[in-house]
Amino acid sequence: MSELQSSLLIIGLAVVLVVYLYNWWQQRKYSRKFTEAFEQANAQEDALYSKVAEPSIVVSEDLPDEKTEQSLPAEPQIVEPPPVETHHISPSENICNLLEPATDYVAVLTFKVPAGADSLALLWPKRFDFGKNVTVCGLNETTGVWEKVTAESRLFYAAFKLGLQLADRSGPVSEINLNDFRDLVRDIASHLKAKADLPDVAAAAKRALVLDNFCAGVDQLIGLNILPSGERTFFGGEIARVAERHGMVFQTDGSFHLADEHGHTVFSLGNLENLPFQHHTLSQMWVNGLTLLMDVPRVEEPTQRFDEMAVLARQLAMDLRAAVVDDQRVALGEAGFSQIRAQVANNESRMLAGLLIPGSAQARRLFS
């Protein structure tokens, strides 16, 4: 090997060594940097670990231009909270206090020795066979209080009340179903050697008809339609933003609800065309109109609530650049609102005269 070749070989080895050492140094520097960043991120995550982020609706504050909103290629994005349900029963609404002959066929079983929910094994698989709600209440042997019983209850009871609701919005219970229910309770009493109080079926069937006629006479659902002006349509993201501004929450039935202090729906806002909104597609939807609804028998003080409904409908219409109209799509003026209010007031008075308080737990049972 010549002297020149030896020199080049040494120089090449030196270059390789320098490159290797440089790469090792760079790798160590970045490794240290990333380790420090990772440790810092972990420290921040630990500090925030117990915090829960609230879901929120985020939309653009800019409304689409009235002339071009239907042709815009991209719409404001909406991030919605998952649908929530707002069912809530306060302690004062013990359903066992609602079982009475005027609204239910109530059979009573009394025991010499306290029994558990498993003693009603004949009832549990058949409780949906009678066309109406079946409610089971037990007299707690420890507290002496009537409380709702389910198949999973593990307490013992000195007596049971078995109630079959006489009517709901689908009509009165049939005498055949009343007979079947009475016979089942009788079989349970015989099997358990319990004392049974079984009301007369024919009389209960008559009460069911009376109750259904009364409820049908006061049943009222008020709808105020909100329509855009001209050829406009409503954008789903805009609807969500305006509804949320007025305290309405999107629920699983595909509409927005405003609840009272007990968590019960007072008003709901839905698609005029009876197609439920889907929370995952709402930001891509356009609709021709909205309907603000109030279920009169199911709200407290319906007349006062209607006054609030009229104000809310006008506010929604103003925010959406729309008008409040009736079923014939004619703008509602003061005379129209007054006429509807009078109907609501009349039905409220009739319910109170029949000792059924609008919006009470009993009313919500019967108008379901």
Side-chain angles (χ1 to χ4, degrees), residues 197-218:
D197 180 8
L198 303 174
D200 181 71
V201 167
K206 291 179 181 178
R207 292 199 305 274
L209 290 173
V210 171
L211 178 63
D212 182 64
N213 287 334
F214 171 78
C215 290
V218 298

Side-chain angles (χ1 to χ4, degrees), residues 111-320:
F111 307 100
K112 293 181 180 179
V113 178
D118 56 351
S119 63
L120 302 177
L122 294 176
L123 170 67
W124 299 123
K126 296 183 177 180
R127 64 189 184 278
F128 301 114
D129 296 346
F130 306 105
K132 303 297 173 197
N133 289 332
V134 172
T135 301
V136 180
C137 291
L139 182 61
N140 189 307
E141 67 159 339
T142 303
T143 64
V145 175
W146 287 99
E147 58 190 33
K148 186 175 180 179
V149 179
T150 66
E152 295 76 26
S153 298
R154 292 293 177 261
L155 302 176
F156 286 88
Y157 306 93
F160 286 121
K161 285 182 183 178
L162 311 179
L164 176 60
Q165 192 169 315
L166 296 181
D168 55 25
R169 274 182 163 154
S170 65
V173 66
S174 69
E175 189 165 351
I176 293 175
N177 282 336
L178 281 168
N179 269 310
D180 291 344
F181 183 73
R182 187 269 317 274
D183 292 345
L184 176 61
V185 177
R186 180 183 289 160
D187 291 344
I188 294 173
S190 176
H191 178 71
L192 299 176
K193 296 181 172 54
K195 178 183 177 182
D197 180 8
L198 303 174
D200 181 71
V201 167
K206 291 179 181 178
R207 292 199 305 274
L209 290 173
V210 171
L211 178 63
D212 182 64
N213 287 334
F214 171 78
C215 290
V218 298
D219 202 357
Q220 185 180 25
L221 184 66
I222 299 297
L224 300 178
N225 299 321
I226 301 173
L227 296 183
S229 58
E231 300 298 322
R232 292 180 59 244
T233 54
F234 293 138
F235 166 58
E238 179 185 21
I239 295 169
R241 185 192 66 192
V242 170
E244 189 268 343
R245 181 189 302 165
H246 291 282
M248 308 190 83
V249 177
F250 188 73
Q251 294 193 11
T252 53
D253 65 348
S255 59
F256 296 87
H257 289 245
L258 183 67
D260 62 15
E261 63 272 18
H262 307 298
H264 303 306
T265 294
V266 180
F267 313 124
S268 64
L269 182 69
N271 192 339
L272 176 67
E273 298 172 349
N274 291 324
L275 296 174
F277 296 126
Q278 301 291 333
H279 97 278
H280 58 282
T281 60
L282 187 57
S283 59
Q284 288 83 42
M285 286 186 65
W286 295 91
V287 298
N288 295 319
L290 301 169
T291 301
L292 184 65
L293 291 173
M294 182 178 76
D295 196 340
V296 173
R298 293 177 61 88
V299 302
E300 299 176 349
E301 301 180 329
T303 306
Q304 177 180 330
R305 291 300 195 185
F306 176 74
D307 292 339
E308 298 169 4
M309 182 186 188
V311 171
L312 177 59
R314 290 183 174 117
Q315 290 174 340
L316 291 170
M318 182 179 299
D319 290 347
L320 293 167

Side-chain angles (χ1 to χ4, degrees), residues 58-60 62-65 68-78 233-238 281-286:
V58 180
V59 295
S60 169
D62 297 325
L63 291 174
D65 184 75
T68 62
E69 60 185 5
Q70 296 187 61
S71 59
L72 291 176
E75 305 302 342
Q77 294 300 308
I78 177 172
T233 54
F234 293 138
F235 166 58
E238 179 185 21
T281 60
L282 187 57
S283 59
Q284 288 83 42
M285 286 186 65
W286 295 91

